[in-house]
Amino acid sequence: MLYDTTESTKEFNRLMVEIRRTIPVEYEAFLAEKAALTKEGLIDEKTKWLLVMVAAVSQKCPICVGPAVKHCLEAGWSKAEILEAAMTAVLMGGSSVMTYVTLAAKAIEDNQK
């Protein structure tokens, strides 16, 4: 598969620098929300990142899948656990979501190099 999770993330981050410069208040609010929602609370941080990854697959966000998978790997989830969780997104999104499960698999490969 030709999808390069590393290069896609780099390009996204490059573009976000300009957005941050243009609308810093809104950008910082987004970062604060992300930090608040992914930190440990009633649900541990490890599980929250798995939920984010499933949502990224379910919502068909190619930019979100790679970083979410990276966080999952760093949190200690195995390849099999991540892919099993990603498959649950297919229940809600149907067979077209399988494409994004393959992006999760590719992101795992890219992060294990």
Side-chain angles (χ1 to χ4, degrees):
M1 191 162 189
L2 297 176
Y3 180 69
D4 186 330
T5 58
T6 303
E7 288 303 313
S8 295
T9 301
K10 282 182 188 175
E11 178 67 1
F12 173 78
N13 289 336
R14 183 189 69 75
L15 294 167
M16 290 305 287
V17 168
E18 182 58 30
I19 292 169
R20 188 179 204 166
R21 271 195 282 257
T22 305
I23 51 169
V25 172
E26 292 83 353
Y27 188 89
E28 293 303 321
F30 166 74
L31 290 181
E33 178 183 41
K34 178 182 170 188
L37 293 173
T38 55
K39 74 177 183 176
E40 186 152 346
L42 297 175
I43 300 171
D44 62 277
E45 187 175 343
K46 179 181 178 180
T47 302
K48 284 187 177 185
W49 278 109
L50 192 66
L51 292 168
V52 168
M53 187 278 302
V54 171
V57 170
S58 168
Q59 293 296 305
K60 301 178 184 178
C61 181
I63 296 300
C64 303
V65 172
V69 164
K70 186 175 192 290
H71 280 286
C72 286
L73 290 167
E74 290 170 352
W77 293 106
S78 71
K79 175 181 180 177
E81 290 168 327
I82 293 168
L83 292 177
E84 182 178 329
M87 284 297 293
T88 65
V90 178
L91 290 173
M92 297 305 295
S95 61
S96 66
V97 171
M98 280 300 297
T99 303
Y100 294 84
V101 175
T102 66
L103 293 184
K106 180 71 167 87
I108 292 167
E109 282 180 7
D110 290 350
N111 281 282
Q112 292 181 333
K113 289 181 182 178

